[in-house]
Amino acid sequence: MRSKSELIVLNHTKFGENSIVLHTLSGEYGRRGFLVRAGRGAGMALFLPLNILEAEVTENPKSELWHARNFSGITPLEGIRSDMRKNTMTLFMSEVIYRVVKDRTGDEALFEWLKGEILTLDALESDFLNFHLLFLLDLCTALGFAPETEYLAPFAGEHLGQLGSLLSLPFEEALLLPMSGADRNEIAGSILRYIEHHTESAVNVRSLAVLREIYA
């Protein structure tokens, strides 16, 4: 069975000489990997983390690895791709989703939420250094365990006040909340520990180390 589907790229892994497994999130299929014929060069730019694509998906009930082809970009994300700091954020955001979301059942609400987050980051022209923190907090809500200040307290350490401000301030004001790069890194780690607690699994987001270098 073949159908057109909208997919958000999370990452990809090499599969043989001329193929990759493209890990994606979609409303129809949840988090799923697709076998894709892909070479090197400019064509791989389609598969950058958090790109929003349309593709022809071939379902295979006999295999967990389905096929996808005829990709096209839906949104160019020029605001993200032209900024190293935003690109680094997309690495982090996509890895968090890849490691936290395991369900292959479709979840249209989660897909639309993530798509909205991507488009918001793309549109922000400045003052976005707190965005990944708000993303993590919103992800908790999207997954069903709202991040109330009292629930975050065991994980927050000395940053509980800043976390409370991120939760209570309007979005535009939360983006402007002053904090150091070290504060942002420690708060991100706190929220990830909260997510680990609720998902009962180690998230182990390796790209957090890259964010530490960018925002040190």
Side-chain angles (χ1 to χ4, degrees):
M1 176 180 174
R2 292 180 181 176
S3 60
K4 285 282 189 180
S5 182
E6 201 168 310
L7 310 171
I8 294 175
V9 177
L10 301 181
N11 64 20
H12 66 268
T13 52
K14 188 173 175 58
F15 189 89
E17 289 299 316
N18 300 305
S19 300
I20 60 171
V21 176
L22 187 68
H23 302 284
T24 68
L25 184 78
S26 68
E28 293 92 337
Y29 310 115
R31 189 174 81 73
R32 175 172 285 277
F34 295 97
L35 188 61
V36 176
R37 290 189 61 83
R40 300 177 181 177
M44 290 300 293
L46 266 177
F47 306 130
L48 290 171
L50 298 191
N51 271 358
I52 305 169
L53 308 176
E54 186 177 67
E56 184 180 284
V57 170
T58 303
E59 300 180 22
N60 183 354
K62 297 181 180 180
S63 172
E64 293 185 351
L65 193 59
W66 298 354
H67 289 73
R69 63 180 185 176
N70 296 332
F71 289 89
S72 60
I74 293 176
T75 305
L77 302 182
E78 293 175 357
I80 289 175
R81 300 309 171 204
S82 62
D83 190 298
M84 182 183 69
R85 296 168 300 173
K86 286 187 178 182
N87 268 310
T88 304
M89 271 193 191
T90 64
L91 287 174
F92 173 76
M93 293 161 60
S94 62
E95 186 180 0
V96 169
I97 296 295
Y98 175 75
R99 297 193 181 279
V100 171
V101 178
K102 304 295 185 182
D103 197 353
R104 285 184 175 156
T105 303
D107 188 336
E108 192 68 35
L110 181 63
F111 174 81
E112 291 297 333
W113 168 80
L114 180 57
K115 183 177 177 180
E117 294 287 298
I118 297 165
L119 296 178
T120 298
L121 177 60
D122 186 62
L124 289 172
E125 296 183 357
S126 61
D127 302 316
F128 54 79
L129 296 186
N130 292 343
F131 183 84
H132 62 301
L133 305 179
L134 299 172
F135 167 83
L136 289 176
L137 293 170
D138 285 346
L139 174 61
C140 295
T141 300
L143 294 176
F145 43 91
E148 302 292 340
T149 305
E150 61 187 288
Y151 302 149
L152 287 163
F155 309 92
E158 64 184 31
H159 298 288
L160 185 59
Q162 290 166 308
L163 270 166
S165 295
L166 289 170
L167 285 168
S168 61
L169 290 171
F171 177 75
E172 294 79 5
E173 294 180 32
L175 284 175
L176 295 171
L177 187 68
M179 62 181 76
S180 67
D183 288 340
R184 291 188 184 96
N185 294 331
E186 291 170 16
I187 290 170
S190 297
I191 305 170
L192 288 172
R193 289 192 294 274
Y194 178 72
I195 291 172
E196 287 179 332
H197 171 73
H198 278 277
T199 58
E200 298 182 340
S201 61
V203 178
N204 190 27
V205 178
R206 291 174 291 182
S207 56
L208 182 57
V210 182
L211 274 182
R212 289 193 179 107
E213 293 179 8
I214 296 293
Y215 299 137

